Amino acid sequence: MESKTSKGQMSWWQLSLLGVGCTLGTGFFLGTSMAIAKSGPAVLIPFLLAAIGTYLVYDALVKMSVANPDKGSFRTYAKQAFGNWAGFSNGWVYLISEILIMGSQLMALGIFIQFWFPALPLWMTASGFGILGLLIILTGMKGFEKFQNIFGAMKAAAVVMFIIVAVVLLIKGINSEPKQINAFVTNFQGFFAEGVKGIWLGLLYAFFAFGGIEVMGLLVIDLKDPKQAPKAGKVMIIILTSIYVSALVCALLLVGWETFTINESPFITALTDFHIPYVADIITGILIIAGFSTMVASLYAVVTILTALAEDHDAPSILAKKGKMKVPLPAFLFLTVGLTVTIVIGFLIPEKIFEYLITAAGLMLIYNWLFILVTYAKLMTLTKWQHVKNVVGMLLIAVTVSGTLGDKTSRLGFYISLLFIVIIAVATFIVMKKRSNNSSA
């Protein structure tokens, strides 16, 4: 994607805000319910561990980006570290995962909008959001940045508003001793209600809430001073972790953890019994904003990686062909087709299978994070302390992935993610073999 990045006009705090905008999405606003269901009140521990893991991955990625700014980001670094096969496979693993995530966000958006307009067909609302997202991508980097900053601020403001409302309700509760005091006692006494296994299973959903930091790696090249990228990441992760933990604490102080259901945002559940006017409408609106902005971030990531793949001949080179538009037209058309296919798949296959596909897509993102850490160890000269941090990051991701084996839905998603990895591995072998034969001929 063509942008003002080549001129490096973004400040570090703008990158922080952009990171918050790209990351704070339905993985937190909706997926947190799943984390609570698995971990109980101890859900705070998976989120803190996921924050540490996210920081370690970002820190590794950004140090490689500062040493060698490249729009291909982690894919280019994998290629430099291990050869063409790594760049090819890394890029396609990320591309497929982001395309599937785009589709899931569109389906979610269609469902959210039916809260207000139940008569609207799901395909119509999903398609409408898809078209709107594509139009934003057509505005180039400048439009994408402005959009994400505005929506990022709105999402952060919404969580802060929830925290303020919850604190007011808690203060009133202390004076009148309603049931939320009982909720606090119940949650505190049963903090480890689901045990260590619950924390293990909840890690996956906590990591999903931080998904999106790899987009920041793609944007480091846009900074005025790339050396400030580590500061941008630290600030972003501190903001996100503070928001996540504070909101979760407030939700758990208001109602007992067993009240939360996986089909409803925990923030609607926490406030339902207090009969605050329009609370469901407000949070539904925030869910729509969150889902749409993370979907647009995925669109941006797909175009960026696809263009880099095409320029390196790891995808048809025509996809990188530039014209008068701010986005290469062939890459944009590929993106449009990919978006359409995921919408169609979402409607044609059974809902459960689509859930497994989305779990697989999230896992493939985490595999990508693991490869970032492996690439970092190979490409950079690390101090002993940096080696320790890198190993800790790898272990956190390995424990998170292994947690999928403890739950039926995520276990099937894990197997599907392995199937995707095998397909990409076979494609990588065929392409590399063909190139080797051509070069020796």
Side-chain angles (χ1 to χ4, degrees):
M1 178 184 287
E2 186 183 8
S3 68
K4 61 182 184 180
T5 65
S6 52
K7 299 176 184 177
Q9 295 186 6
M10 193 190 301
S11 62
W12 71 266
W13 61 267
Q14 287 176 311
L15 182 61
S16 289
L17 288 177
L18 202 53
V20 171
C22 291
T23 306
L24 184 55
T26 48
F28 175 65
F29 285 105
L30 196 59
T32 305
S33 292
M34 185 69 80
I36 295 172
K38 302 295 180 189
S39 305
V43 70
L44 300 174
I45 296 174
F47 268 87
L48 289 171
L49 290 173
I52 293 168
T54 302
Y55 170 71
L56 293 174
V57 172
Y58 176 80
D59 190 53
L61 177 58
V62 84
K63 279 177 178 162
M64 291 188 287
S65 300
V66 170
N68 179 21
D70 190 285
K71 65 180 176 182
S73 190
F74 48 85
R75 188 200 67 84
T76 301
Y77 307 137
K79 184 176 180 178
Q80 290 170 354
F82 298 102
N84 290 331
W85 70 267
F88 180 92
S89 57
N90 214 249
W92 281 101
V93 165
Y94 183 71
L95 196 68
I96 290 171
S97 66
E98 285 291 349
I99 288 173
L100 287 171
I101 288 168
M102 285 186 322
S104 73
Q105 296 287 2
L106 278 176
M107 296 294 291
L109 286 167
I111 293 167
F112 294 156
I113 205 75
Q114 285 186 331
F115 178 81
W116 293 321
F117 307 104
L120 276 179
L122 199 58
W123 69 266
M124 186 182 292
T125 52
S127 301
F129 281 116
I131 292 167
L132 192 57
L134 290 169
L135 290 174
I136 290 171
I137 293 300
L138 280 176
T139 64
M141 178 62 197
K142 189 175 182 180
F144 170 76
E145 183 188 335
K146 285 183 178 177
F147 165 81
Q148 290 292 16
N149 282 339
I150 292 168
F151 273 18
M154 289 174 70
K155 290 184 288 185
V159 184
V160 171
M161 181 183 72
F162 167 78
I163 293 169
I164 292 171
V165 169
V167 169
V168 170
L169 291 172
L170 288 165
I171 291 171
K172 288 174 68 178
I174 290 170
N175 295 328
S176 56
E177 296 187 6
K179 59 187 175 183
Q180 65 252 44
I181 291 181
N182 292 329
F184 167 73
V185 173
T186 301
N187 286 335
F188 178 77
Q189 290 176 340
F191 190 78
F192 291 104
E194 297 300 295
V196 175
K197 183 181 178 181
I199 295 169
W200 180 46
L201 297 179
L203 265 173
L204 178 67
Y205 303 97
F207 264 97
F208 282 177
F210 285 93
I213 57 105
E214 64 285 333
V215 179
M216 285 187 75
L218 299 172
L219 295 168
V220 167
I221 196 172
D222 299 340
L223 284 172
K224 291 176 185 174
D225 181 8
K227 290 180 181 178
Q228 290 191 318
K231 185 201 294 186
K234 284 178 186 175
V235 170
M236 179 207 72
I237 291 169
I238 288 170
I239 290 172
L240 280 175
T241 306
S242 300
I243 287 173
Y244 288 175
V245 172
S246 300
L248 280 169
V249 167
C250 287
L252 289 166
L253 287 176
L254 289 173
V255 294
W257 73 272
E258 291 177 327
T259 308
F260 298 102
T261 66
I262 61 174
N263 297 317
E264 185 176 64
S265 171
F267 310 111
I268 291 178
T269 306
L271 296 177
T272 295
D273 289 346
F274 295 95
H275 306 295
I276 301 171
Y278 307 113
V279 67
D281 293 280
I282 293 168
I283 294 180
T284 298
I286 296 304
L287 283 171
I288 290 169
I289 290 170
F292 185 63
S293 70
T294 47
M295 189 267 291
V296 172
S298 291
L299 290 173
Y300 172 83
V302 167
V303 170
T304 304
I305 287 293
L306 184 63
T307 305
L309 282 166
E311 287 175 348
D312 277 0
H313 305 290
D314 287 336
S317 54
I318 192 173
L319 292 172
K321 187 177 180 182
K322 295 178 181 177
K324 294 181 180 179
M325 297 168 59
K326 294 180 179 179
V327 180
L329 180 60
F332 180 77
L333 292 175
F334 178 93
L335 181 66
T336 306
V337 171
L339 206 56
T340 305
V341 168
T342 54
I343 294 173
V344 172
I345 288 173
F347 284 111
L348 291 183
I349 65 176
E351 184 181 345
K352 274 291 178 188
I353 295 177
F354 194 64
E355 282 180 24
Y356 302 148
L357 279 174
I358 300 317
T359 303
L363 281 167
M364 286 164 71
L365 269 187
I366 293 177
Y367 300 157
N368 186 267
W369 286 20
L370 182 60
F371 210 87
I372 287 171
L373 294 175
V374 172
T375 301
Y376 177 56
K378 171 77 172 177
L379 208 57
M380 306 289 285
T381 303
L382 308 186
T383 64
K384 285 184 180 179
W385 174 236
Q386 287 171 332
H387 271 298
V388 169
K389 291 198 299 181
N390 215 43
V391 170
V392 168
M394 290 180 188
L395 286 173
L396 275 172
I397 292 173
V399 169
T400 299
V401 172
S402 70
T404 60
L405 300 175
D407 177 71
K408 184 180 178 183
T409 301
S410 57
R411 190 186 310 130
L412 285 166
F414 171 69
Y415 294 145
I416 292 172
S417 73
L418 288 185
L419 178 62
F420 274 117
I421 295 296
V422 169
I423 292 169
I424 292 169
V426 170
T428 302
F429 177 78
I430 292 169
V431 170
M432 294 303 116
K433 186 77 173 172
K434 187 177 178 181
R435 285 185 187 175
S436 177
N437 291 337
N438 290 339
S439 61
S440 60

